[in-house]
Amino acid sequence: MSETYKGAKILVVGGAGFVGSNLVLKLLEQAPERVVIVDNLLSADITNVPDHPAVDYRYGSITDDKILQELPEDTEYVWHLSCLHGNQSSIADPMLDHENNTLTTLKLLERIKDFPSLKKVVYAAAGCAVAEKTFDEAEATFEDAPVSLYHDSPYSISKIIGEFYGNYYWRRHDVPFVKCRFQNVYGPREILGAGRWRGTRHTVWRNVTPTFIWKALHHEALPLDNGGFASRDFIFVEDMARGLMAAGLKGEAGEVYNLASGVETTIKDLAELINELTGNPTPADIAPARDWDRSGKRFGSTEKSKEKLGFEAQVSVRDGLERTVAWTRDNQDRIERCIRQHDWFMARV
């Protein structure tokens, strides 16, 4: 990139989370003047906040009026990454999803709409909100794919509503809003069970890749819903951070970009590769399809982000999983601490 974030004044909402903390670390490499992180640790761990003189961490939700009023009005770049992680958690508690997905976006945009120095507001949208629900051969989902009125989860609904609000604030208030549609992000700093108890087992087991790696390292059977037939586009978190940074510098206000690898990987293939890399001898546990899940197969088109942002994923699934397995081994104590605290709650539900 010809431009950098040197000397920039930055806000990362959700900056203590998995993707957010990786993004902050990459931003710090370019010597910004200030990085304000707002995170209520609903699904994050405090150890993910970098100890760096440019980092100003503020504990709480971006829906908190006091936090909103104290945001620096000279902020130049905003990444809005906070959310209630996971489709299943949103199904279990739609109101909690609304509070941490939809409401966060609306209140943030209403507060920053008149900030005089805003150069870009980058929103973490979701590829699942527009991907075709197919169990036939998958075709790449493009940015101009039609949006269905029928969704599998409140999470998916909230994410597309966030795009709607961003479009409105761009057209009505000239907020330089850019949408980045995430695919399935995986990699280091995703801590199973991080954050507060949210009422179901999916507080811990909410994402497939860290769940599979943890179970495989402990020689447990990896659960394959519907035989692992479904497929996803898995993108390594450092690639995602680079894509988010490219969107901040090169993304056009009002536009949407897929941040994807463009590679379709079945859940069965993912499980087999993780078992190979971890030396897990236990056969997979073949299970029926989940009753709520109609998403089937999907992956994202990379053409627009390559042409407009100059972004391409660089890390293959194998290389990314090797790095993630190594990180998980090195951080077992952190992960076990988070899992144990939620085991205590689960035993009492």
Side-chain angles (χ1 to χ4, degrees), residues 85-141:
H85 277 288
N87 288 297
Q88 289 142 303
S89 292
S90 75
I91 292 168
D93 194 341
M95 294 302 294
L96 189 65
D97 177 85
H98 173 80
E99 180 184 346
N100 290 278
N101 279 341
T102 311
L103 190 59
T104 55
T105 304
L106 178 57
K107 293 196 75 169
L108 174 64
L109 288 169
E110 182 64 17
R111 171 67 178 110
I112 66 176
K113 69 180 189 295
D114 296 319
F115 279 13
S117 303
L118 275 183
K119 296 180 179 178
K120 210 66 58 71
V121 179
V122 181
Y123 171 66
C128 66
V130 297
E132 182 183 2
K133 314 305 183 190
T134 178
F135 286 90
D136 297 322
E137 290 300 314
E139 295 184 0
T141 301

Coordinates of all heavy atoms in Angstrom, one line a residue, residues 85-141:
H85 N -20.9 -13.1 19.0 CA -20.3 -14.2 18.2 C -21.3 -15.3 18.1 O -21.8 -15.8 19.1 CB -19.0 -14.6 18.7 CG -17.8 -13.8 18.3 ND1 -17.4 -13.8 17.0 CD2 -17.1 -12.9 18.9 CE1 -16.4 -12.9 16.9 NE2 -16.2 -12.4 18.1
G86 N -21.5 -15.8 16.9 CA -22.1 -17.1 16.6 C -23.6 -17.1 16.4 O -24.4 -16.5 17.0
N87 N -24.0 -17.8 15.3 CA -25.4 -18.0 15.0 C -26.2 -18.6 16.1 O -27.3 -18.2 16.4 CB -25.5 -18.9 13.7 CG -25.1 -18.2 12.5 OD1 -25.6 -17.2 12.1 ND2 -24.0 -18.7 11.8
Q88 N -25.6 -19.7 16.7 CA -26.4 -20.4 17.8 C -26.6 -19.6 19.0 O -27.7 -19.6 19.6 CB -25.6 -21.7 18.1 CG -25.7 -22.7 17.0 CD -24.4 -23.5 16.8 OE1 -23.3 -22.9 16.6 NE2 -24.5 -24.8 16.9
S89 N -25.6 -18.7 19.4 CA -25.9 -17.8 20.5 C -27.0 -16.8 20.2 O -27.8 -16.5 21.1 CB -24.6 -17.1 20.9 OG -23.6 -18.0 21.4
S90 N -27.0 -16.4 19.0 CA -28.1 -15.4 18.6 C -29.4 -16.1 18.6 O -30.5 -15.4 18.9 CB -27.8 -14.8 17.3 OG -28.0 -15.6 16.2
I91 N -29.5 -17.3 18.2 CA -30.8 -18.1 18.2 C -31.2 -18.3 19.6 O -32.4 -18.1 19.9 CB -30.6 -19.4 17.5 CG1 -30.4 -19.2 16.0 CG2 -31.8 -20.3 17.7 CD1 -29.9 -20.4 15.2
A92 N -30.3 -18.5 20.5 CA -30.7 -18.8 21.9 C -31.1 -17.5 22.6 O -32.0 -17.5 23.5 CB -29.4 -19.3 22.7
D93 N -30.6 -16.3 22.2 CA -31.0 -15.1 22.8 C -31.0 -13.9 21.8 O -30.0 -13.2 21.7 CB -30.0 -14.8 24.0 CG -30.5 -13.7 24.9 OD1 -31.4 -12.9 24.5 OD2 -30.0 -13.6 26.0
P94 N -32.1 -13.8 21.0 CA -32.1 -12.7 20.0 C -32.0 -11.3 20.6 O -31.5 -10.4 19.9 CB -33.5 -12.9 19.4 CG -33.9 -14.4 19.6 CD -33.3 -14.7 21.0
M95 N -32.5 -11.1 21.8 CA -32.4 -9.8 22.4 C -30.9 -9.4 22.7 O -30.5 -8.3 22.5 CB -33.2 -9.7 23.7 CG -34.7 -9.8 23.4 SD -35.3 -8.5 22.3 CE -35.0 -7.0 23.2
L96 N -30.1 -10.4 23.2 CA -28.7 -10.2 23.4 C -28.0 -9.9 22.1 O -27.1 -9.1 22.0 CB -28.1 -11.4 24.1 CG -26.7 -11.2 24.6 CD1 -26.6 -10.2 25.7 CD2 -26.1 -12.5 25.1
D97 N -28.4 -10.6 21.1 CA -27.8 -10.4 19.7 C -28.2 -8.9 19.3 O -27.3 -8.2 18.8 CB -28.4 -11.4 18.7 CG -27.9 -11.1 17.3 OD1 -26.8 -11.6 17.0 OD2 -28.6 -10.4 16.6
H98 N -29.4 -8.5 19.4 CA -29.8 -7.1 19.1 C -28.9 -6.1 19.8 O -28.5 -5.1 19.2 CB -31.3 -6.9 19.4 CG -31.7 -5.5 19.1 ND1 -32.0 -5.0 17.9 CD2 -31.9 -4.5 20.0 CE1 -32.4 -3.7 18.0 NE2 -32.3 -3.4 19.3
E99 N -28.8 -6.3 21.1 CA -28.0 -5.4 21.9 C -26.6 -5.2 21.5 O -26.0 -4.1 21.5 CB -28.1 -5.8 23.4 CG -27.4 -4.9 24.3 CD -27.4 -5.4 25.8 OE1 -28.2 -6.3 26.1 OE2 -26.6 -4.9 26.6
N100 N -26.0 -6.3 21.1 CA -24.5 -6.4 20.8 C -24.2 -6.4 19.3 O -23.0 -6.3 18.9 CB -23.9 -7.6 21.5 CG -23.9 -7.4 23.0 OD1 -23.0 -6.7 23.5 ND2 -24.8 -8.0 23.6
N101 N -25.2 -6.4 18.4 CA -25.0 -6.4 17.0 C -25.7 -5.2 16.4 O -25.0 -4.2 15.9 CB -25.5 -7.7 16.3 CG -24.5 -8.8 16.4 OD1 -23.3 -8.6 16.7 ND2 -24.9 -10.0 16.2
T102 N -27.0 -5.2 16.4 CA -27.7 -4.1 15.7 C -27.6 -2.7 16.4 O -27.3 -1.7 15.8 CB -29.2 -4.4 15.6 OG1 -29.4 -5.8 15.1 CG2 -29.9 -3.5 14.7
L103 N -27.8 -2.7 17.7 CA -27.8 -1.5 18.5 C -26.4 -0.8 18.5 O -26.3 0.4 18.4 CB -28.3 -1.7 19.9 CG -28.6 -0.5 20.7 CD1 -29.7 0.4 20.0 CD2 -29.1 -0.8 22.1
T104 N -25.4 -1.6 18.5 CA -24.0 -1.1 18.6 C -23.8 -0.3 17.3 O -23.2 0.8 17.4 CB -23.0 -2.2 18.7 OG1 -23.2 -3.2 17.6 CG2 -23.1 -2.9 20.0
T105 N -24.2 -0.8 16.2 CA -24.0 -0.1 14.9 C -24.7 1.2 14.8 O -24.1 2.3 14.5 CB -24.4 -1.0 13.7 OG1 -23.7 -2.3 13.8 CG2 -24.1 -0.4 12.4
L106 N -26.0 1.2 15.2 CA -26.8 2.4 15.1 C -26.3 3.5 16.1 O -26.1 4.7 15.7 CB -28.2 2.1 15.5 CG -29.2 3.3 15.5 CD1 -29.2 4.0 14.2 CD2 -30.6 2.8 15.8
K107 N -26.0 3.1 17.3 CA -25.5 4.2 18.3 C -24.1 4.7 17.9 O -23.9 5.9 18.0 CB -25.5 3.6 19.7 CG -26.9 3.3 20.2 CD -27.0 3.1 21.7 CE -26.9 4.4 22.4 NZ -27.2 4.3 23.9
L108 N -23.2 3.8 17.4 CA -21.9 4.3 17.0 C -22.1 5.3 15.8 O -21.5 6.4 15.8 CB -21.1 3.1 16.5 CG -19.7 3.5 15.9 CD1 -18.8 4.2 16.9 CD2 -19.0 2.2 15.4
L109 N -22.8 4.9 14.8 CA -23.0 5.8 13.6 C -23.6 7.1 14.0 O -23.2 8.2 13.5 CB -23.8 5.1 12.5 CG -23.0 4.0 11.8 CD1 -24.0 3.2 10.9 CD2 -21.9 4.5 11.0
E110 N -24.6 7.1 14.9 CA -25.3 8.3 15.3 C -24.3 9.3 16.0 O -24.3 10.5 15.8 CB -26.5 8.0 16.2 CG -27.3 9.2 16.6 CD -27.9 10.0 15.5 OE1 -28.1 9.4 14.4 OE2 -28.3 11.1 15.7
R111 N -23.4 8.7 16.8 CA -22.4 9.5 17.5 C -21.3 10.1 16.6 O -21.0 11.3 16.7 CB -21.7 8.6 18.6 CG -20.5 9.3 19.3 CD -21.0 10.5 20.1 NE -19.9 11.1 20.8 CZ -19.3 12.3 20.6 NH1 -19.8 13.0 19.6 NH2 -18.3 12.7 21.3
I112 N -20.8 9.3 15.6 CA -19.7 9.8 14.9 C -20.0 10.5 13.6 O -19.2 10.9 12.8 CB -18.7 8.6 14.5 CG1 -19.4 7.6 13.6 CG2 -18.3 7.9 15.8 CD1 -18.5 6.5 13.1
K113 N -21.3 10.6 13.3 CA -21.7 11.1 12.0 C -21.2 12.5 11.7 O -21.1 12.9 10.5 CB -23.3 11.0 11.8 CG -24.1 12.0 12.7 CD -25.5 11.8 12.4 CE -26.4 12.9 13.1 NZ -26.3 12.9 14.6
D114 N -21.0 13.3 12.7 CA -20.5 14.7 12.5 C -19.0 14.8 12.9 O -18.6 16.0 13.0 CB -21.4 15.6 13.4 CG -22.8 15.6 12.9 OD1 -23.0 15.6 11.7 OD2 -23.7 15.7 13.8
F115 N -18.3 13.8 13.1 CA -16.9 13.9 13.4 C -16.2 14.5 12.2 O -16.3 14.1 11.1 CB -16.2 12.5 13.7 CG -16.5 12.0 15.1 CD1 -17.4 12.6 16.0 CD2 -15.7 10.9 15.6 CE1 -17.6 12.1 17.3 CE2 -15.9 10.4 16.9 CZ -16.8 11.0 17.7
P116 N -15.4 15.6 12.4 CA -14.9 16.4 11.3 C -13.8 15.7 10.5 O -13.5 16.1 9.4 CB -14.5 17.7 11.9 CG -14.1 17.3 13.3 CD -15.1 16.2 13.7
S117 N -13.1 14.8 11.2 CA -11.8 14.3 10.5 C -12.0 12.9 10.0 O -11.0 12.3 9.6 CB -10.7 14.3 11.6 OG -10.5 15.6 12.0
L118 N -13.2 12.3 10.0 CA -13.4 10.9 9.6 C -12.9 10.7 8.1 O -13.3 11.4 7.2 CB -14.8 10.5 9.7 CG -15.3 10.0 11.0 CD1 -16.8 9.6 10.9 CD2 -14.5 8.9 11.6
K119 N -12.0 9.7 8.0 CA -11.6 9.3 6.6 C -12.2 8.0 6.2 O -12.5 7.8 5.0 CB -10.0 9.2 6.6 CG -9.3 10.5 6.8 CD -7.8 10.3 6.8 CE -7.1 11.6 7.0 NZ -5.6 11.4 7.1
K120 N -12.5 7.1 7.1 CA -13.1 5.9 6.8 C -13.7 5.2 8.0 O -13.1 5.2 9.1 CB -12.1 4.9 6.1 CG -12.7 3.9 5.1 CD -13.2 4.7 3.8 CE -12.2 5.5 3.1 NZ -11.2 4.8 2.4
V121 N -14.9 4.6 7.8 CA -15.5 3.7 8.8 C -15.7 2.4 8.2 O -16.4 2.2 7.2 CB -16.8 4.3 9.3 CG1 -17.5 3.4 10.3 CG2 -16.7 5.7 9.9
V122 N -15.0 1.4 8.7 CA -15.0 0.0 8.1 C -15.8 -0.9 9.0 O -15.6 -1.0 10.2 CB -13.5 -0.5 8.0 CG1 -13.6 -1.9 7.4 CG2 -12.7 0.4 7.2
Y123 N -16.8 -1.5 8.4 CA -17.8 -2.3 9.1 C -17.6 -3.8 8.8 O -17.4 -4.2 7.7 CB -19.2 -1.9 8.7 CG -20.3 -2.8 9.2 CD1 -20.6 -2.9 10.6 CD2 -21.1 -3.6 8.4 CE1 -21.6 -3.7 11.1 CE2 -22.1 -4.4 8.8 CZ -22.3 -4.4 10.2 OH -23.4 -5.2 10.6
A124 N -17.6 -4.6 9.9 CA -17.5 -6.1 9.8 C -18.8 -6.7 9.4 O -19.6 -6.9 10.3 CB -16.9 -6.7 11.1
A125 N -19.1 -6.8 8.1 CA -20.3 -7.4 7.6 C -20.1 -8.9 7.5 O -19.0 -9.4 7.9 CB -20.7 -6.8 6.3
A126 N -21.1 -9.7 7.1 CA -21.0 -11.1 7.1 C -21.4 -11.7 5.8 O -22.4 -11.4 5.2 CB -21.9 -11.7 8.2
G127 N -20.5 -12.6 5.3 CA -20.8 -13.2 4.0 C -22.0 -14.1 4.1 O -22.7 -14.3 3.1
C128 N -22.3 -14.7 5.3 CA -23.5 -15.6 5.4 C -24.8 -14.8 5.2 O -25.8 -15.5 4.9 CB -23.4 -16.2 6.8 SG -23.6 -15.1 8.2
A129 N -24.8 -13.5 5.3 CA -26.0 -12.7 5.2 C -26.5 -12.6 3.8 O -27.7 -12.3 3.5 CB -25.8 -11.3 5.8
V130 N -25.6 -12.9 2.8 CA -26.0 -12.8 1.4 C -25.7 -14.1 0.6 O -26.2 -14.2 -0.5 CB -25.2 -11.6 0.7 CG1 -25.6 -10.3 1.4 CG2 -23.7 -11.8 0.8
A131 N -25.0 -15.0 1.2 CA -24.7 -16.2 0.4 C -25.9 -17.0 0.1 O -26.8 -17.1 0.9 CB -23.7 -17.1 1.2
E132 N -26.0 -17.6 -1.1 CA -27.1 -18.4 -1.5 C -27.1 -19.7 -0.6 O -26.1 -20.3 -0.3 CB -27.0 -18.8 -2.9 CG -28.1 -19.7 -3.4 CD -28.0 -20.1 -4.9 OE1 -26.9 -19.8 -5.5 OE2 -28.9 -20.8 -5.4
K133 N -28.3 -20.1 -0.2 CA -28.4 -21.3 0.7 C -28.6 -22.5 -0.3 O -29.7 -22.8 -0.7 CB -29.7 -21.2 1.6 CG -29.8 -19.9 2.3 CD -28.6 -19.5 3.1 CE -28.8 -18.2 3.9 NZ -27.6 -17.6 4.5
T134 N -27.5 -23.1 -0.6 CA -27.5 -24.2 -1.5 C -26.8 -25.5 -1.0 O -25.8 -25.3 -0.2 CB -26.8 -23.8 -2.8 OG1 -26.8 -24.9 -3.8 CG2 -25.4 -23.4 -2.6
F135 N -27.3 -26.6 -1.4 CA -26.6 -27.9 -1.1 C -26.1 -28.5 -2.3 O -25.6 -29.7 -2.3 CB -27.5 -28.8 -0.3 CG -27.7 -28.4 1.1 CD1 -28.8 -27.5 1.5 CD2 -26.9 -28.8 2.1 CE1 -28.9 -27.1 2.8 CE2 -27.0 -28.4 3.5 CZ -28.1 -27.6 3.8
D136 N -26.2 -27.8 -3.5 CA -25.7 -28.3 -4.7 C -24.3 -27.7 -4.8 O -23.7 -27.3 -3.8 CB -26.5 -27.8 -5.9 CG -28.0 -28.3 -5.8 OD1 -28.1 -29.5 -5.5 OD2 -28.9 -27.6 -6.1
E137 N -23.7 -27.8 -6.0 CA -22.3 -27.3 -6.2 C -22.3 -25.8 -5.9 O -23.2 -25.0 -6.4 CB -21.9 -27.5 -7.6 CG -21.6 -29.0 -7.9 CD -20.5 -29.6 -7.0 OE1 -19.5 -28.9 -6.8 OE2 -20.8 -30.7 -6.5
A138 N -21.4 -25.3 -5.1 CA -21.3 -23.9 -4.7 C -20.7 -23.1 -5.8 O -19.8 -23.5 -6.5 CB -20.5 -23.8 -3.4
E139 N -21.2 -21.9 -5.9 CA -20.6 -20.9 -6.8 C -20.2 -19.7 -5.9 O -20.8 -19.4 -4.9 CB -21.6 -20.4 -7.9 CG -22.0 -21.5 -8.9 CD -22.9 -21.0 -10.0 OE1 -23.2 -19.8 -10.0 OE2 -23.3 -21.8 -10.8
A140 N -19.1 -19.0 -6.4 CA -18.6 -17.9 -5.6 C -19.7 -16.8 -5.4 O -20.4 -16.5 -6.3 CB -17.4 -17.3 -6.3
T141 N -19.8 -16.3 -4.1 CA -20.8 -15.3 -3.8 C -20.2 -13.9 -4.1 O -19.1 -13.6 -3.5 CB -21.2 -15.4 -2.3 OG1 -21.8 -16.6 -2.1 CG2 -22.2 -14.3 -2.0

